[in-house]
Amino acid sequence: LAPEAENPTNPMCLIENNPKEQLRVNQEALKILQSIQQPVVVVAIVGLYRTGKSYLMNKLAGKKKGFSLGATIQAQTMGIWMWCLPHPKKPDHTLVLLDTEGLGDVEKSNTANDSWIFALSILLSSTFVYNSMGTIDQYALEKLQYVTELTKRIKVKSTPPKDSEGEEEDSSDFLRFFPAFVWAVRDFSLLLKLNGKPITEDEYLENALKRKKGTEKKLDLAKKCIRQYFPSRKCFVFDRPASRRALEELEDLPESKLNPDFLEQVQHFCSYIHEQAQAKVIQGGHTVTGTSLGHLVVTYVDAICSGSIPCIENAVVALAQIENTAAVHEAITYYEAEMGKHLKLPTETIEELLEAHAQYEKEAIKVFLARAFKDVNHEYQKELGTQLHAKLLEFCSRNEQASSDRCQAVLTQLFQDLEEEIGKGSYSVAGGYQRFLDDQKEKVDQYYLVPGKGLMVITAALLSCLTALLQA
Ligand SMILES: Nc1nc2c(ncn2[C@@H]2O[C@H](COP(=O)(O)OP(=O)(O)O)[C@@H](O)[C@H]2O)c(=O)[nH]1
Ligand SMILES: [Mg+2]
């Protein structure tokens, strides 16, 4: 099991939004997020405070308690809360729930940042849930005003398109990287009917998003923006979960005390999200892990705090730099480990080393390509090539060294006897020199026969050893 699957975390504030302050990334939460190497399915929920968002997110987590509900929220930090859980349906994926706290709450959060919280929720999620109470009416659409400001809050490209049709192009660009959109309508009290005929929840939403004669321009724009930015749309309606008095203590109520229709609707919603919500993917089709989601959080919040508009392209470029550097490192580490494991130094021939290099170089490049993305002009792949070549040279010199060391050791052992004889003066007698030459030849022959000496058989070591003996 991956560590993240073993240790589901508790909800933590990831991006803090305190009154009169700038947005701030909570470093502790960031660390936890960045330790997750699995792909992430990111579900964010946004909507006015006290509309049952946290309650619904706890249902998605499959837990009775988790994100604090309205009644207990007083002491909590406002902003975007994060909860990382093993995905209940997708093995090797982590489900990241992002709950927003305090939207529209003038007392406890910095409402000037509300539209940034809204934009960040879109930028970071792969499924974006908009939660509202009652029906999808004028009021609910008005509260979705942030969606009409999105072009002021999110930039897709670092340079604006030059042609006059810029705006149109911009919105088509927008939607390619936007999350799937889900509208959750709570305490829904209408019958799902249109002109007397039963309709689905999705049809209800689509009908509400249609242009209608006589609607305010602002509302029309909100509808148009939702239709344009979110090509994938779903709607879920929920009955009121319990009697008015029971609502306060909803999270402690046994299921038997809840409206069975509500329970079924929650069940339906949860299985849809668990089965259909996709892992987050960014430009270039690269799947986002907890680690890279953490980088995105930092890049976007930094951009906002420095007074600029978060730009998807810039964030992806920054992410690619980090990921591709890591991919080079991972590939080199792989190459070194495999060479170390399979290659016994010194090798008998240089070909042996080169063959191993060719094989593990190929595999290392595969390791690199599996992780790298947006490697413009193969810049990082070239860097990997350079580093692999340097590693090869390093292995060659280690091979030579290992061979030299081995030869040296063999020689030392073989010639030990000779040196002892010389020391004793055994050859300083008549015919001694011839005997010395014979013994020496025998040792040299033996030396050549010892296996595993590698490339450096005729070594400087042997020559110097012989010279030394002659001088002795
Ligand atoms: N009327 C109603 N109240 C709910 C619903 N879900 C939860 N609540 C209650 O509404 C209060 C606020 O819920 P909470 O999930 O904290 O709302 P949030 O501020 O949007 O996150 C709590 O007392 C919940 O028990 C719902 O579907 N309808
Ligand atoms: Mg809440």
Side-chain angles (χ1 to χ4, degrees):
L1 277 183
E4 53 264 33
E6 282 168 18
N7 306 314
T9 61
N10 291 321
M12 314 177 77
C13 192
L14 175 64
I15 301 172
E16 298 174 7
N17 183 24
N18 296 312
K20 303 195 194 86
E21 278 180 32
Q22 280 200 326
L23 295 175
R24 188 169 58 201
V25 178
N26 173 357
Q27 295 302 313
E28 199 190 335
L30 181 67
K31 221 155 86 197
I32 288 176
L33 182 57
Q34 295 202 310
S35 72
I36 299 172
Q37 284 160 17
Q38 294 181 336
V40 284
V41 175
V42 192
V43 181
I45 194 161
V46 170
L48 279 188
Y49 69 115
R50 298 205 119 249
T51 50
K53 295 188 299 296
S54 302
Y55 180 79
L56 189 60
M57 290 304 249
N58 290 346
K59 293 284 178 204
L60 270 186
K63 301 275 160 60
K64 241 186 135 118
K65 304 229 163 159
F67 293 116
S68 309
L69 299 201
T72 49
I73 199 77
Q74 308 303 3
Q76 297 278 7
T77 320
M78 301 294 132
I80 299 181
W81 281 68
M82 164 191 98
W83 196 358
C84 304
L85 304 135
H87 197 288
K89 288 280 159 59
K90 287 186 167 67
D92 305 323
H93 282 63
T94 295
L95 177 63
V96 178
L97 301 176
L98 297 181
D99 186 19
T100 49
E101 259 336 319
L103 235 57
D105 188 342
V106 197
E107 273 171 45
K108 291 192 226 68
S109 71
N110 182 347
T111 45
N113 281 331
D114 280 2
S115 52
W116 286 125
I117 295 287
F118 188 89
L120 280 169
S121 303
I122 288 175
L123 287 168
L124 298 175
S125 65
S126 52
T127 292
F128 177 81
V129 182
Y130 184 70
N131 188 74
S132 74
M133 278 277 180
T135 57
I136 302 183
D137 56 7
Q138 177 160 345
Y139 177 78
L141 282 165
E142 266 170 18
K143 288 291 158 210
L144 238 175
Q145 46 165 315
Y146 304 119
V147 81
T148 63
E149 297 170 8
L150 276 178
T151 41
K152 283 186 251 158
R153 301 291 171 190
I154 297 174
K155 247 173 38 170
V156 174
K157 291 206 158 82
S158 56
T159 49
K162 284 181 201 86
D163 52 292
S164 54
E165 287 168 303
E167 208 163 300
E168 278 303 305
E169 193 164 299
D170 237 12
S171 43
S172 75
D173 253 351
F174 247 63
L175 48 93
R176 268 190 288 149
F177 312 108
F178 268 36
F181 180 85
V182 174
W183 195 319
V185 190
R186 313 293 287 276
D187 292 5
F188 185 73
S189 52
L190 299 176
L191 285 175
L192 280 171
K193 277 190 173 170
L194 186 65
N195 304 327
K197 287 204 191 102
I199 51 169
T200 64
E201 294 150 289
D202 292 342
E203 285 166 341
Y204 172 69
L205 172 63
E206 290 313 308
N207 184 56
L209 293 180
K210 269 196 197 134
R211 284 191 70 165
K212 292 196 187 81
K213 266 194 215 129
T215 36
E216 270 179 63
K217 251 191 149 177
K218 215 173 116 189
L219 284 190
D220 252 353
L221 183 60
K223 292 179 184 183
K224 185 179 160 204
C225 288
I226 297 169
R227 287 196 312 260
Q228 274 191 347
Y229 300 158
F230 303 104
S232 152
R233 298 185 289 271
K234 279 294 286 180
C235 178
F236 290 88
V237 301
F238 301 81
D239 283 22
R240 183 197 286 265
S243 66
R244 193 181 296 274
R245 245 186 300 136
L247 285 175
E248 282 296 314
E249 33 170 22
L250 207 52
E251 85 187 319
D252 298 313
L253 279 188
E255 290 210 335
S256 58
K257 292 271 165 56
L258 296 179
N259 177 352
D261 286 341
F262 174 77
L263 285 176
E264 200 189 309
Q265 290 153 344
V266 167
Q267 169 65 34
H268 177 50
F269 170 80
C270 290
S271 44
Y272 175 82
I273 297 288
H274 291 156
E275 276 152 31
Q276 302 296 326
Q278 302 294 309
K280 184 158 178 67
V281 173
I282 48 169
Q283 245 174 343
H286 184 73
T287 304
V288 175
T289 61
T291 314
S292 40
L293 186 66
H295 291 308
L296 289 180
V297 169
V298 173
T299 309
Y300 289 138
V301 173
D302 279 354
I304 294 168
C305 290
S306 70
S308 45
I309 300 173
C311 169
I312 296 179
E313 187 182 37
N314 288 350
V316 171
V317 168
L319 187 59
Q321 279 168 357
I322 294 169
E323 279 288 294
N324 294 346
T325 306
V328 170
H329 183 74
E330 194 181 322
I332 291 290
T333 309
Y334 175 87
Y335 171 87
E336 278 192 308
E338 291 303 303
M339 288 286 275
K341 208 165 17 168
H342 299 290
L343 204 63
K344 202 174 157 295
L345 298 187
T347 59
E348 285 302 333
T349 60
I350 185 78
E351 283 75 24
E352 203 181 311
L353 192 149
L354 290 178
E355 267 168 31
H357 167 77
Q359 181 183 342
Y360 299 118
E361 176 184 52
K362 221 196 291 171
E363 291 178 16
I365 291 172
K366 266 196 203 145
V367 168
F368 168 80
L369 289 176
R371 181 154 182 191
F373 70 104
K374 242 184 181 289
D375 184 10
V376 185
N377 301 327
H378 301 294
E379 212 179 287
Y380 286 89
Q381 196 170 344
K382 280 180 206 154
E383 168 62 22
L384 174 64
T386 310
Q387 288 195 27
L388 281 171
H389 187 70
K391 284 289 163 201
L392 170 63
L393 295 183
E394 204 180 299
F395 267 100
C396 284
S397 85
R398 268 162 65 184
N399 198 30
E400 286 173 9
Q401 188 60 49
S403 174
S404 290
D405 292 352
R406 173 94 180 109
C407 293
Q408 188 68 60
V410 171
L411 282 172
T412 309
Q413 228 202 331
L414 283 174
F415 283 82
Q416 211 171 8
D417 306 348
L418 274 188
E419 268 169 25
E420 269 169 29
E421 292 300 313
I422 293 172
K424 279 193 275 178
S426 307
Y427 299 119
S428 312
V429 294
Y433 184 60
Q434 188 53 48
R435 203 152 54 75
F436 166 72
L437 288 181
D438 292 346
D439 286 354
Q440 183 182 275
K441 185 171 180 309
E442 194 191 320
K443 296 290 178 189
V444 172
D445 289 347
Q446 281 175 12
Y447 169 71
Y448 279 110
L449 287 176
V450 175
K453 298 192 301 299
L455 309 160
M456 308 298 281
V457 180
I458 314 271
T459 55
L462 174 58
L463 291 176
S464 69
C465 192
L466 295 177
T467 328
L469 280 172
L470 276 176
Q471 283 165 353

